[in-house]
Amino acid sequence: MDFNNNYQEIDLNYCRASSGKRFANYIIDVIVFYIILFGIYIFIGILIPGILDGINDLLDRLIAMVCYGFIMCLIEAVSRGKSIGKLITGTKAVNLDGSEIDFGKAFTRNMIRVIPFNAISALSNPCDPWHDRWSDTMVIDEKKMALQTQRVDLFDSVKNQIQ
């Protein structure tokens, strides 16, 4: 019996996280980021009083943007592709082949997020923002990935029984 070998591969496009989940990730991550940044500012203000007084709005924005990239990078690198938002929504950042991202990919993804209008690039369907496109990564829904894996396992077991 001739089988199509396409069943062996997991369809990562099917596993892509929806735009709604990606937006929820973003909102949750921004809230968590500002809580962390607020804590950092308080800590710095206690350690070195008056240092934050000379920062104007533009400089404050630039510092916040760079901090966002670094903090999100650290969170995603330590948790193997998951930010707090991704943890809550059951999604994960992976390489285009489905493998886990390393620190370098997490760094690249999150520094690209600092680019103005990156959020607007996420308005496509399927959601494919610059920080995914330019770092060769994607965000997957872990439940969909589990279903794809079960499908592959099922076809493998059927194939082994027939041979």
Side-chain angles (χ1 to χ4, degrees):
M1 185 174 262
D2 185 32
F3 282 96
N4 184 354
N5 287 334
N6 290 339
Y7 69 85
Q8 291 178 341
E9 292 184 27
I10 293 176
D11 183 4
L12 289 175
N13 285 322
Y14 170 78
C15 298
R16 275 186 190 271
S18 68
S19 297
K21 282 193 176 186
R22 298 287 305 260
F23 184 66
N25 292 345
Y26 176 73
I27 296 298
I28 293 166
D29 289 341
V30 166
I31 290 168
V32 167
F33 164 71
Y34 278 110
I35 290 169
I36 292 170
L37 189 64
F38 184 69
I40 291 171
Y41 277 14
I42 288 174
F43 183 73
I44 290 172
I46 291 171
L47 271 158
I48 313 167
I51 194 167
L52 299 175
D53 294 340
I55 297 177
N56 62 25
D57 288 341
L58 178 62
L59 185 58
D60 185 47
R61 279 296 241 184
L62 290 173
I63 290 170
M65 288 171 58
V66 172
C67 285
Y68 180 79
F70 279 115
I71 289 171
M72 297 310 296
C73 167
L74 290 174
I75 292 171
E76 278 192 355
V78 168
S79 61
R80 299 184 325 238
K82 289 187 171 200
S83 63
I84 304 299
K86 290 180 186 79
L87 182 67
I88 292 169
T89 62
T91 57
K92 180 179 185 175
V94 296
N95 291 309
L96 291 178
D97 65 358
S99 62
E100 290 185 352
I101 63 171
D102 58 10
F103 183 83
K105 284 286 181 152
F107 182 80
T108 302
R109 273 176 58 79
N110 290 291
M111 286 300 118
I112 293 170
R113 286 181 189 209
V114 174
I115 296 173
F117 306 112
N118 175 58
I120 293 172
S121 73
L123 297 177
S124 60
N125 192 12
C127 185
D128 192 24
W130 294 336
H131 66 271
D132 282 349
R133 216 175 311 154
W134 297 346
S135 65
D136 295 325
T137 59
M138 68 187 329
V139 176
I140 59 164
D141 187 317
E142 291 183 303
K143 287 182 182 178
K144 289 180 182 178
M145 184 68 152
L147 287 172
Q148 284 285 312
T149 304
Q150 287 174 353
R151 182 182 69 89
V152 168
D153 292 344
L154 174 68
F155 281 116
D156 280 344
S157 66
V158 169
K159 178 184 173 195
N160 290 337
Q161 289 176 358
I162 292 176
Q163 288 180 351

